[in-house]
Amino acid sequence: MAVTDRVTPEAGPSPSPGAGRDGGNVRRLAFSQQVSRWVKLSPYLYISPFFLLFAVTGLFPLVYTAWVSLHNWNLIGGQGKFTGLENYAFVVAQPYFWNAVGNTFSIFILSSVPQVVAALVVAAVLDANLRGRTFWRMGVLVPFVVAPVAVGLIFNNLFADQFGLINEMLKALGLDPVRWHSDPVASHAAIATMVNFRWTGYNALIFLAAMQAIPRDVFEAATIDGAGRLRQFFSVTVPMLRPTIIFVVITSTIGGLQIFDEPRVFDQSGLGGADRQWQTLTMYIWELGWGQRNFGRASAVAWLLFLIIVLIALLNFVITKRIASQEGRK
């Protein structure tokens, strides 16, 4: 009887009891690392819609305007030949450009500086224990809701050279009427009044929100030390509002240098007066682009205005940083 040999497979190394458990731990570790990676990335995903929207509505027009400013570009013919910096040289050589620069800065100073001071005072009043605080806080925002064109038409009638309410009041007091639409300084003051009417309440609410974030313990300690409300305002409130004040100053600077609505509706022609005595840079851009149909020169003025705003913003940053460093040394 033949004996058949059985071939038995070679036994390999027996798996360790913890091999399956280690594999599961590795998978869980890889999954947790992937989740941690997504968690770190999630804040950027949340804010990405803003940057995408800014790239479409802000960055692309800025770059495209720079491209247009380097060409002979008009409304009918479209893009013309490449001119380089000829549009910039032509604009800088025009007296109307420098007139618009002076008018813009004049209206900006007459509006932004009193606006910030008045907004601080209004915010301090609204922060006090007033009856009907909600009503007053909503009331200061009403001028901001009103359409700029409506505000311009109303103030245009108030500051009318003949039969205007302001001049009639001056006549009643025995004073000579003011030529609001002829005198450059008077016209700048009238336009600045419109700007302050619209934006003072808006900035006051920003200051009010910052004031309410100040711990009340600080004011209680100042009261115990014998400081009155006026001393608390200048020694406690204003120093603790420094970041908010910087923010309001920068936004007011940007808005003040881009002013268009108020001076545009201050007269019927829209050129800034008979002698362009209140024509701003944005109005000059409008005249070049839609009046003379020359988009290349209008884009050049727009980029010059952009550079001016950047320089003013950097100057504000340097000044505020130096003030903060000097106070930190004290």
Side-chain angles (χ1 to χ4, degrees), residues 97-148:
F97 171 76
W98 296 108
N99 175 68
V101 171
N103 293 336
T104 301
F105 275 93
S106 177
I107 297 174
F108 159 68
I109 294 174
L110 290 175
S111 60
S112 295
V113 175
Q115 181 186 135
V116 174
V117 176
L120 271 172
V121 175
V122 172
V125 174
L126 294 176
D127 193 38
N129 294 325
L130 295 176
R131 291 184 179 180
R133 287 180 296 179
T134 305
F135 170 77
W136 294 112
R137 292 172 183 177
M138 293 177 60
V140 297
L141 198 60
V142 171
F144 177 73
V145 179
V146 180

Side-chain angles (χ1 to χ4, degrees), residues 14-63:
S14 58
S16 59
R21 189 166 58 249
D22 291 343
N25 291 336
V26 171
R27 286 193 295 272
R28 284 194 296 270
L29 180 60
F31 178 75
S32 63
Q33 289 178 350
Q34 191 174 10
V35 171
S36 176
R37 210 174 288 120
W38 278 104
V39 170
K40 293 179 180 179
L41 188 62
S42 60
Y44 302 99
L45 295 177
Y46 294 148
I47 64 176
S48 61
F50 166 78
F51 289 100
L52 293 175
L53 186 63
F54 173 76
V56 174
T57 62
L59 188 60
F60 172 74
L62 186 66
V63 176

